[in-house]
Amino acid sequence: MRSGSVTFGTHIIGALGVDWGTVESTVELPVPVAPGAQWSPTWTVCVDAWRVPLGMHIETRDVSVRWT
């Protein structure tokens, strides 16, 4: 793999479980990755405080990876 990115879809969930919106964030993958290599990276997903009013929370539900 020579290049790639991972996109996270972080959902803003209301107190009653209603999905109020989704914030996407994309991060470039650390490359190059050798064939057969294994790694378990972690990323911190940040959402502006004004997007998550009191009583709501966030959940990262969607993750997609694109590599070339």
Side-chain angles (χ1 to χ4, degrees):
M1 175 172 85
R2 296 180 201 197
S3 66
S5 61
V6 60
T7 301
F8 300 98
T10 302
H11 296 258
I12 301 165
I13 309 296
L16 299 176
V18 176
D19 190 339
W20 288 94
T22 303
V23 177
E24 286 192 354
S25 54
T26 302
V27 179
E28 296 299 316
L29 292 171
V31 290
V33 176
Q38 295 182 358
W39 48 278
S40 299
T42 60
W43 290 276
T44 300
V45 176
C46 297
V47 176
D48 294 321
W50 64 269
R51 292 184 181 265
V52 189
L54 190 62
M56 297 179 130
H57 66 278
I58 61 171
E59 296 178 6
T60 301
R61 295 180 175 178
D62 308 315
V63 179
S64 63
V65 178
R66 182 178 159 248
W67 52 71
T68 56

